């Protein structure tokens, strides 16, 4: 496995592979790799000739009050995990390699969806995400990039960015959220939860499951599902509900009724971490 730190070396390596006819899969990460990341890498490994993992804690997607400085970093363990998973190349650049001073890089506009939910809670977040993902696509030239379902709004916006720029030639593959036995979605930030918070953190999954069960049983009123989710999370002593909503999968806008593919989404703040999660809402049993 190659460890590369410069943009020029990444571009040269992936260009060489593509010239030789190999397909390149990209798994973009901010490191602190867990089983969720490993599932993305395994999918890429199974589908593509060459697999690139990027490890970069992107300062542009953190607000001034957020946890950029304390975001979990574990490069040695991440490299070992990548090697075990059969990754061909890890790109672990400095900020200057990603954002060279004085160079005007493409800055895709997340549009109105970028200002809702995660974008409302974290102003500027999606501008930062799209800028770094666009840069990663430019340097790596992947035919496929792999994103986890947990960050579903991010995945929606990345797909829309790619659709607006077909020349990028990249397909976005969504991979299922990996969960602990309690239902808690794996996230690098879970490491911050105290044992008591971790125990209560499954309230997000419980709320989503309850909404999904009611949808399966025939409930079509999104407000009813939202109220159920808010009640479940609101009853959890250490959780403060940020939002609970049902969105239309095609537009990522609030759905009033469940008459098209929809997704329940939630976010809650615990004393040591803010968590997000989501589940697709099933069609009613006929
Ligand atoms: O999902 C993440 O880990 C990040 O938002 C990403 C896609 C690697 C961009 O920094």
């Amino acid at each position: 496995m190659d460890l590369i730190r410069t943009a020029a070396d990444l571009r040269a390596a992936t260009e060489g592979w593509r010239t030789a006819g190999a397909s390149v899969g990209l798994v973009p990460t901010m490191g602190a790799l867990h089983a969720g990341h490993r599932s993305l890498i395994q999918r890429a490994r199974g589908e593509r000739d060459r697999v690139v993992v990027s490890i970069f804690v992107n300062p542009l997607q953190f607000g001034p009050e957020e946890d950029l400085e304390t975001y979990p970093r574990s490069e040695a363990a991440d490299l070992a995990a990548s090697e075990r998973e059969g990754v061909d190349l890890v790109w672990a650049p400095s900020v200057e390699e990603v954002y060279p001073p004085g160079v005007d890089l493409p800055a895709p506009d997340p549009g109105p969806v970028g200002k809702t939910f995660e974008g409302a809670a974290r102003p500027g977040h999606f501008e930062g995400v799209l800028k770094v993902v666009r840069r990663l696509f430019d340097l790596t030239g992947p035919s496929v990039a792999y994103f986890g379902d947990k960050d579903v709004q991010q995945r929606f916006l990345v797909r829309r960015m790619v659709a607006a720029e077909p020349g990028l030639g990249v397909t976005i593959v969504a991979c299922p959220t990996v969960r602990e036995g309690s239902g808690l979605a794996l996230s690098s930030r879970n490491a911050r939860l105290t044992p008591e918070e971790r125990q209560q953190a499954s309230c997000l999954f419980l709320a989503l499951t309850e909404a999904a069960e009611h949808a399966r049983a025939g409930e079509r009123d999104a407000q009813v599902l939202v109220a159920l989710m808010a009640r479940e999370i609101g009853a959890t002593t250490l959780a403060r509900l940020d939002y609970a909503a049902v969105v239309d999968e095609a537009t990522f806008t609030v759905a009033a009724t469940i008459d098209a593919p929809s997704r329940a989404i939630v976010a809650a703040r615990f004393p040591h971490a803010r968590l997000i999660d989501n589940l697709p809402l099933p069609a009613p049993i006929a």
Side-chain angles (χ1 to χ4, degrees), residues 28-30 37 54 56 58 61 71 125 129 132-133 136 147 151 154:
T29 83
M30 297 207 300
H37 297 111
S54 63
F56 178 62
N58 174 30
Q61 68 188 76
Y71 190 84
H125 173 67
V129 168
V132 78
V133 170
L136 289 168
F147 286 82
D151 296 299
Q154 164 175 282

Side-chain angles (χ1 to χ4, degrees), residues 111-122:
V113 174
K115 305 247 178 289
T116 60
F117 305 115
E118 285 311 286
R122 309 179 64 188

